[in-house]
Amino acid sequence: MRRRTWQRAAVQDALTGRYDFVSAQTLHSQLRADGSSIGLATVYRALADLAEEGEADSLRADGESLYRACASPGHHHHLICRSCGRTVEIQADDIETWAASTAAAHGFRDPQHIVDVFGTCGPCALVGASETP
Amino acid sequence: MRRRTWQRAAVQDALTGRYDFVSAQTLHSQLRADGSSIGLATVYRALADLAEEGEADSLRADGESLYRACASPGHHHHLICRSCGRTVEIQADDIETWAASTAAAHGFRDPQHIVDVFGTCGPCALVGASETP
DNA sequence: ACCGGTAATGGGAACCGTTATCAGCTAGCA
DNA sequence: TGCTAGCTGATAACGGTTCCCATTACCGGT
Ligand SMILES: [Mn+2]
Ligand SMILES: [Mn+2]
Ligand SMILES: [Zn+2]
Ligand SMILES: [Zn+2]
């Protein structure tokens, strides 16, 4: 069974309180700055568990894993600001059927797909690439 | 200017001689096994250069960069076998326009997208997940 | 409330892919 | 055939992640 610890709750709360994708190390720093004594390894474990349970989405960018507590419960994709990390959740049935039919057309079974769109969001485009509103 | 060394040629040849995505370390091991004295750092540099020149495509999987000498010169995506790495190059104009319009619809500029499909190819489905034909 | 077992924690070491360093080498050119 | 700037490769360093393991604390049973 999976025990409920204040550390897991803290990670989940910190994640839910953000609008962007965040790394384990960033989240750990934030928690420490807020006075928590949580360990880095625990943050890694909690995020991995949340992702496994479907409570968080994860993606890899710049060689690190980023996590986000998504509002949409089902399968969806992301439109992510390169500058500030602001994320929009995207539902696209066309993509789902395209991926499935493309795989089938080439004799590939059990298709999965990775679809992510990156760009510069409106606020970041105004302010310039350096700051992060 | 960029010099032409036997090391770069060896990396390019080794890459062209494969049908799958490979890591720098795997390619280095293969070259060494074939009698070459090429260094690991050189393989990393050569692959990075080939990718920059558009001679090779790269993607990240399981925390490592994989490279492939693609036949299609322009922008395209990949259908990749999880088991053996066999890769099919995919052209999908629908996806291109979808990604661009989705980004624009949410006020995101300079959109880029990552679209990869993974599955089990025909031969691998027959043989079972353990072997790699 | 009190155990007892057992999953979870956390600090540090280990791991692993990748990049930086730098002395020696060599492709390309006059 | 020399010059020289770019290239090579052994090794050290780096950064994110995972492992290790002694200690802690959650939780079901009493
Ligand atoms: Mn999808
Ligand atoms: Mn595309
Ligand atoms: Zn932004
Ligand atoms: Zn296959």
Side-chain angles (χ1 to χ4, degrees):
Chain A
M1 80 235 35
R2 179 152 287 166
R3 295 181 181 174
R4 269 133 326 182
T5 66
W6 66 263
Q7 288 93 337
R8 305 251 167 152
V11 168
Q12 188 160 16
D13 289 353
L15 201 63
T16 316
R18 303 190 59 117
Y19 58 81
D20 56 352
F21 275 88
V22 66
S23 70
Q25 310 219 27
T26 300
L27 211 58
H28 178 245
S29 299
Q30 176 187 318
L31 286 162
R32 286 296 185 113
D34 292 348
S36 172
S37 64
I38 192 171
L40 177 58
T42 302
V43 175
Y44 272 104
R45 284 187 288 245
L47 288 173
D49 288 349
L50 288 171
E52 193 180 347
E53 296 162 10
E55 297 291 318
D57 282 7
S58 69
L59 62 86
R60 287 191 156 280
D62 285 326
E64 63 182 359
S65 288
L66 304 179
Y67 296 86
R68 182 171 190 271
C70 284
S72 310
H75 171 87
H76 60 272
H77 299 278
H78 297 106
L79 173 57
I80 303 158
C81 175
R82 269 188 296 266
S83 177
C84 71
R86 196 186 313 273
T87 299
V88 179
E89 299 172 24
I90 304 284
Q91 230 93 15
D93 294 339
D94 293 351
I95 303 298
E96 309 305 315
T97 55
W98 169 82
S101 62
T102 298
H106 291 86
F108 279 60
R109 299 184 177 196
D110 306 323
Q112 295 176 328
H113 56 271
I114 297 174
V115 175
D116 288 308
V117 183
F118 295 86
T120 308
C121 76
C124 284
L126 283 177
V127 134
S130 49
E131 290 98 322
T132 59
Chain B
M1 69 198 64
R2 179 153 287 167
R3 293 185 183 170
R4 287 170 22 254
T5 66
W6 65 262
Q7 287 94 337
R8 304 232 175 187
V11 169
Q12 188 160 16
D13 289 354
L15 202 63
T16 316
R18 303 188 60 118
Y19 57 81
D20 55 352
F21 276 88
V22 269
S23 69
Q25 311 218 28
T26 300
L27 211 57
H28 178 245
S29 298
Q30 176 187 320
L31 287 162
R32 286 296 187 116
D34 291 350
S36 172
S37 64
I38 193 171
L40 177 58
T42 302
V43 175
Y44 273 104
R45 284 188 287 245
L47 287 173
D49 288 349
L50 288 171
E52 194 180 347
E53 296 162 11
E55 297 291 316
D57 282 8
S58 69
L59 61 85
R60 298 189 64 88
D62 290 323
E64 63 182 358
S65 289
L66 304 179
Y67 296 86
R68 182 171 190 271
C70 284
S72 310
H75 171 88
H76 60 272
H77 299 279
H78 297 107
L79 173 57
I80 304 158
C81 176
R82 270 188 296 267
S83 175
C84 72
R86 196 186 313 274
T87 299
V88 178
E89 300 172 24
I90 304 282
Q91 231 92 16
D93 294 339
D94 294 351
I95 303 298
E96 309 304 316
T97 56
W98 170 82
S101 62
T102 298
H106 292 85
F108 279 59
R109 298 186 177 197
D110 306 323
Q112 295 177 328
H113 55 272
I114 297 174
V115 175
D116 288 307
V117 183
F118 294 86
T120 308
C121 76
C124 285
L126 283 177
V127 135
S130 49
E131 290 98 321
T132 61

